[in-house]
Amino acid sequence: MKDPVLVKESAVHPKKTSPVESSSTKDLNLVQAVNLGLRQEMQRDDRVIVLGEDVGVNGGVFRVTEGLQKEFGESRVVDTPLAELGIVGASIGLAMYGLRPVAEIQFDGFLPPIFDQIISHAGRMRSRSLGRFTVPMVVRSPHGGLVHAPEHHSESPEAYFAHTPGIKVVIPSNPYDAKGLIVSAIRDPDPVIFFEPKRIYRSVKAPVPQREYTVPIGQAQVVRPGKEVTLIAWGAMVHTCLQAAAYLSEEHVEVEVVDLRTLAPLDLETILESVSRTGRAVIAQEAPRTCSLGSEISALIHERALLKLQAPVVRVTGYDVPTPLYKLEKYYFPDVDRVVRGIRETLKF
Amino acid sequence: MERLEVLDCEGRCDPALKPQLRPDQIREIYRLMVTSRRFDEKAFRLQRQGRLGTYAPISGQEASQVAPPYCLQKSDWMVPTYRSAGAYYTRGVPFKNILIYWGGDARGARVAPDQRDLFPTICIATQIPFAVGLAWGAKLKAQKEKKTSEVVLCYFGDGATSKADFHEGLNFAGVFRLPIIFVCENNQWAISLPRSRQTAAPTFSQRAFSYGMEGIQVDGNDVFAVHRATQAAVERARAGKGPTLVECETYRLGDHTTADDASRYRSAEEVARWQKLDPIVRLKKYMLQERLWSEAEETKLSSEADLVVEAAVEEAEAFAAPNPVSFFDHTFAELPWNVLEQRKALEEYLKEKDSRKDTVILDKEGRFP
């Protein structure tokens, strides 16, 4: 993974001087990058509180909140009862009251109970109160498979959230973006679902500045330029796609890889600009195919860039079956080979 | 709130509460507990050796794992959690299946046609509402056939009581007076959260009152207390007298799962305190005092338990790998076009991949957690 130098940074005017702030840059993994982002926002803004199962004493099962309770105390880093609906419902109220809750849902497969609160309240609080009440809340959750986990620990539920009006959905693919996006998510005036691709929690390291910076919500990034095909992905799948692009490059097929970073709202401009140049698009995702993010992106490209296309958009996806137990997961999630095949399909058209 | 204790930690029995079990039944319960512990220890080692996936140990909870299913008949139902090796073994599910399941193969959780023990539920408390539905079905069947009812044994832990599923399920069971026994294995810890983070109430069992059902707390490391309370609950349920909540106060001696490190959040002194209350040790002391058991029998049982466990490991490890396309098969009774198309595509892809030399290697996989 190259240092993502293309990131546009927004000006940040901290309220308080942060003791951690310095101009240095450290190699961090994604766990450490989110941790640093959370810590700096908690130092900067005392309205930020972290709550969830095992986030305090234990520092989260993936250690993303490690050390935060020690630094900020039990009233700002709160171990809650085992109740996802309660965690998110209470976070909505905390946010309406004026705090900046960052709720952790321990695994993607434990997200379903929160839909009642997300759909019925978080996503419509602003509109139903005609702007009187808002929900500046972040819900963090791990995302995706290929970690040999038990059932319900390898899910990709982003489409349910992206489908819900009033909800923003973010997923970084590298430590730099992870820190910049968690800060943006916390500062955002509306509810943000923040997915963390667990397959690359620790396997991808990159230089992360210690100073404050943000990566804006709603901006995709071209992580590898190319001219024959646009390959669109998010989260851990970006790395699979970069490998596929490198593989095809040896055959002189130059693939442009777009890391969406934000899934709702989509950065339509970046997608259409790239596809208009290459004339071909492949979307790769871990999630099942039907009614997925890939379906939406494909529809948008066909609706708005049909005459630029030289082939129909191809989707390389998980299958329309429940995520299998881990012995078969490598057959379920698209690998480099399947992405390469998807690209060849558009080239052969 | 009523609390039931029969055996003290020296294995002395309350004379007013002599176990309602024959000596051979007591020996059988002991065998199930010892063999389950032996399996648990083996499963932990297998995971550490990279021969098993994530596993949730039961050590310390053998009394509440073995006694409740021991009260059931074959035609009754059991709806367990993911921490359930002892409960499954008591119901006759072989350890081999448990190893295959935690080895990442769905066939390990296949429920045999004559079996009414459900697969493990991973998402906390989510089994409670459908267990209630099973009990409702059993009640309707009993009414129709004018027979005594099958009963449902529904397991969950202390953490599960915090979820909406617990409330909605128990409320239905109370309102419809269903033949179900809710066994709450309160093992004091929901991963790193102590039971005090799950309720401000002094017990979990007292919540039964608010649902209009019977509730009792028992010393969950006392197999006779667990047996007495569950047996009474099963009889009530079978007789159409409604549900019971049985809180077994026990302790998870091991980590939450093999992916957890309990030393991060609880003291060695606390673990040592509970080790003294080990349910297996207490029952053995009782049996020795009552002359139901001898050290010679203990040695024999110990080697038999090893044989059972080793045979299960061998069978599980010899079990052939699943067919990659098998995960499509049971999506619906009749597979729709999209699933059929996708299955065909994977079949063709695998065939082609086998015949090619330039197959791109799979991505580096992550680590759990």
Side-chain angles (χ1 to χ4, degrees):
Chain A
M1 183 78 202
K2 286 175 195 160
D3 190 2
V5 284
L6 301 175
V7 173
K8 293 171 205 157
E9 292 172 24
S10 62
V12 173
H13 303 289
K15 280 186 196 162
K16 299 175 199 163
T17 312
S18 157
V20 173
E21 199 180 345
S22 78
S23 56
S24 68
T25 292
K26 272 189 190 158
D27 272 357
L28 299 181
N29 64 31
L30 215 140
V31 169
Q32 295 163 325
V34 177
N35 181 277
L36 182 60
L38 287 169
R39 172 170 290 141
Q40 290 183 343
E41 278 308 283
M42 292 187 81
Q43 288 167 344
R44 195 187 73 97
D45 182 348
D46 61 14
R47 296 171 304 168
V48 179
I49 70 164
V50 165
L51 66 161
E53 296 155 10
D54 308 289
V55 297
V57 177
N58 203 27
V61 296
F62 285 102
R63 312 290 180 241
V64 176
T65 55
E66 175 105 64
L68 296 183
Q69 192 180 66
K70 215 169 212 176
E71 182 169 346
F72 301 104
E74 286 180 32
S75 58
R76 288 186 69 195
V77 181
V78 187
D79 277 323
T80 65
L82 199 168
E84 289 81 12
L85 185 155
I87 292 165
V88 171
S91 294
I92 291 172
L94 287 164
M96 287 166 67
Y97 195 83
L99 285 101
R100 295 271 167 162
V102 181
E104 176 177 307
I105 300 300
Q106 197 161 74
F107 277 98
D108 31 65
F110 306 162
L111 285 164
I114 81 168
F115 283 121
D116 197 1
Q117 290 293 322
I118 291 290
I119 294 168
S120 308
H121 298 299
R124 60 173 70 200
M125 191 59 74
R126 182 185 286 280
S127 69
R128 72 194 285 213
S129 70
L130 306 177
R132 168 70 175 83
F133 294 114
T134 59
V135 185
M137 163 186 77
V138 180
V139 177
R140 296 178 35 250
S141 172
H143 174 277
L146 283 176
V147 298
H148 284 215
E151 278 182 282
H152 305 284
H153 289 63
S154 304
E155 312 299 303
S156 307
E158 61 269 25
Y160 299 108
F161 293 99
H163 180 74
T164 304
I167 302 293
K168 294 182 179 178
V169 183
V170 165
I171 179 167
S173 71
N174 61 71
Y176 182 96
D177 286 353
K179 184 182 172 217
L181 280 167
I182 191 68
V183 171
S184 292
I186 293 170
R187 294 180 190 178
D188 198 277
D190 287 305
V192 179
I193 307 294
F194 187 87
F195 283 118
E196 298 166 7
K198 66 174 95 75
R199 171 152 64 102
I200 53 165
Y201 253 149
R202 293 175 188 277
S203 60
V204 175
K205 272 203 169 192
V208 175
Q210 294 289 298
R211 66 179 161 76
E212 282 187 41
Y213 64 91
T214 59
V215 171
I217 290 175
Q219 282 188 14
Q221 184 183 29
V222 174
V223 288
R224 180 185 173 110
K227 50 186 193 300
E228 270 105 334
V229 184
T230 300
L231 180 54
I232 300 164
W234 52 94
M237 191 57 76
V238 170
H239 297 270
T240 307
C241 289
L242 285 169
Q243 280 178 268
Y247 180 81
L248 284 169
S249 167
E250 288 170 20
E251 298 175 13
H252 308 292
V253 175
E254 291 310 324
V255 177
E256 178 149 307
V257 181
V258 177
D259 174 2
L260 287 181
R261 303 197 290 188
T262 296
L263 305 179
L266 283 168
D267 181 356
L268 189 62
E269 200 185 321
T270 299
I271 295 169
L272 293 183
E273 190 280 322
S274 176
V275 175
S276 301
R277 264 189 294 109
T278 61
R280 294 181 172 87
V282 174
I283 304 149
Q285 65 183 31
E286 292 189 15
R289 171 176 301 234
T290 297
C291 292
S292 64
L293 246 293
S295 317
E296 180 64 22
I297 297 162
S298 171
L300 283 166
I301 294 170
H302 286 118
E303 280 167 8
R304 301 190 186 216
L306 183 66
L307 298 180
K308 309 273 188 182
L309 286 179
Q310 297 180 39
V313 175
V314 165
R315 288 177 288 157
V316 182
T317 70
Y319 302 110
D320 290 336
V321 304
T323 317
L325 266 65
Y326 77 77
K327 246 187 193 150
L328 294 182
E329 68 177 343
K330 65 182 176 186
Y331 300 106
Y332 178 87
F333 296 114
D335 56 10
V336 176
D337 215 21
R338 270 169 67 192
V339 174
V340 167
R341 271 169 69 107
I343 293 165
R344 291 199 207 280
E345 204 181 314
T346 63
L347 292 169
K348 275 189 293 198
F349 182 78
Chain B
M1 191 66 217
E2 194 189 346
R3 179 180 166 94
L4 181 64
E5 295 173 8
V6 177
L7 280 181
D8 70 12
C9 57
E10 291 308 316
R12 288 176 299 238
C13 186
D14 183 332
L17 299 168
K18 283 273 183 205
Q20 308 137 313
L21 292 158
R22 297 188 308 271
D24 62 307
Q25 289 178 312
I26 294 172
R27 281 194 290 265
E28 171 63 1
I29 286 173
Y30 184 69
R31 184 189 71 79
L32 290 164
M33 289 169 70
V34 167
T35 315
S36 299
R37 170 78 58 94
R38 201 60 58 85
F39 171 77
D40 211 51
E41 290 163 350
K42 181 70 184 182
F44 180 84
R45 288 199 300 276
L46 290 174
Q47 193 279 337
R48 287 294 187 263
Q49 293 162 0
R51 293 158 70 187
L52 189 67
T54 301
Y55 172 77
I58 58 142
S59 285
Q61 299 178 214
E62 289 83 359
S64 55
Q65 286 274 309
V66 169
Y70 192 80
C71 297
L72 299 182
Q73 292 173 6
K74 178 85 181 166
S75 55
D76 293 327
W77 297 76
M78 184 178 79
V79 183
T81 70
Y82 51 83
R83 196 182 306 289
S84 50
Y88 276 131
Y89 186 56
T90 304
R91 287 289 278 168
V93 176
F95 289 135
K96 175 187 89 173
N97 294 30
I98 300 168
L99 292 172
I100 291 170
Y101 174 76
W102 291 105
D105 184 337
R107 293 173 299 172
R110 177 177 277 165
V111 181
D114 66 337
Q115 185 194 340
R116 289 177 159 184
D117 307 302
L118 265 69
F119 38 79
T121 295
I122 301 283
C123 298
I124 306 297
T126 54
Q127 74 278 20
I128 300 173
F130 73 71
V132 164
L134 290 170
W136 197 347
K139 180 178 175 164
L140 293 174
K141 183 182 170 216
Q143 282 174 342
K144 196 173 166 190
E145 297 178 357
K146 298 189 169 42
K147 283 182 185 161
T148 58
S149 182
E150 295 154 9
V151 303
V152 178
L153 168 63
C154 176
Y155 271 111
F156 47 84
D158 39 314
T161 64
S162 297
K163 287 194 67 180
D165 313 59
F166 168 84
H167 163 68
E168 297 185 26
L170 267 73
N171 195 42
F172 265 60
V175 166
F176 297 109
R177 230 173 138 75
L178 299 178
I180 184 163
I181 302 95
F182 298 106
V183 172
C184 174
E185 285 189 285
N186 167 15
N187 67 11
Q188 312 299 328
W189 291 96
I191 307 190
S192 72
L193 299 181
R195 55 89 60 214
S196 59
R197 265 297 143 106
Q198 305 303 339
T199 180
T203 69
F204 291 105
S205 54
Q206 71 194 87
R207 300 183 65 178
F209 289 135
S210 58
Y211 301 115
M213 69 174 73
E214 295 285 329
I216 184 169
Q217 186 189 55
V218 304
D219 177 346
N221 283 9
D222 169 351
V223 74
F224 291 152
V226 178
H227 181 267
R228 182 177 278 269
T230 345
Q231 186 62 43
V234 167
E235 282 162 20
R236 262 198 308 279
R238 221 182 278 294
K241 292 180 182 167
T244 308
L245 171 59
V246 181
E247 175 191 352
C248 299
E249 210 184 15
T250 179
Y251 195 76
R252 188 189 83 211
L253 288 175
D255 300 323
H256 161 67
T257 66
T258 47
D260 176 44
D261 173 9
S263 70
R264 287 174 64 90
Y265 50 78
R266 66 185 192 186
S267 70
E269 293 75 38
E270 181 187 297
V271 180
R273 230 172 22 250
W274 280 91
Q275 254 154 357
K276 289 190 189 128
L277 303 173
D278 190 316
I280 294 179
V281 174
R282 279 156 86 174
L283 180 56
K284 186 183 169 189
K285 281 181 179 169
Y286 169 83
M287 288 163 69
L288 289 171
Q289 284 157 23
E290 298 290 316
R291 302 193 188 284
L292 297 172
W293 199 242
S294 66
E295 284 303 338
E297 284 171 295
E298 180 73 20
T299 311
K300 188 163 168 270
L301 171 60
S302 184
S303 53
E304 280 168 4
D306 280 337
L307 284 176
V308 168
V309 171
E310 288 307 326
V313 174
E314 256 176 56
E315 286 177 63
E317 292 193 331
F319 199 62
N323 179 351
V325 297
S326 62
F327 56 63
F328 292 102
D329 293 349
H330 299 287
T331 317
F332 291 99
E334 200 174 326
L335 297 185
W337 67 268
N338 56 323
V339 178
L340 287 171
E341 199 179 282
Q342 290 170 18
R343 184 172 69 180
K344 193 160 171 260
L346 179 58
E347 273 167 354
E348 281 170 9
Y349 169 65
L350 291 171
K351 227 180 276 169
E352 190 199 312
K353 201 171 178 171
D354 281 346
S355 65
R356 267 186 14 228
K357 288 196 179 96
D358 67 335
T359 299
V360 183
I361 46 144
L362 205 82
D363 300 328
K364 194 166 178 286
E365 295 182 0
R367 190 165 61 86
F368 176 79

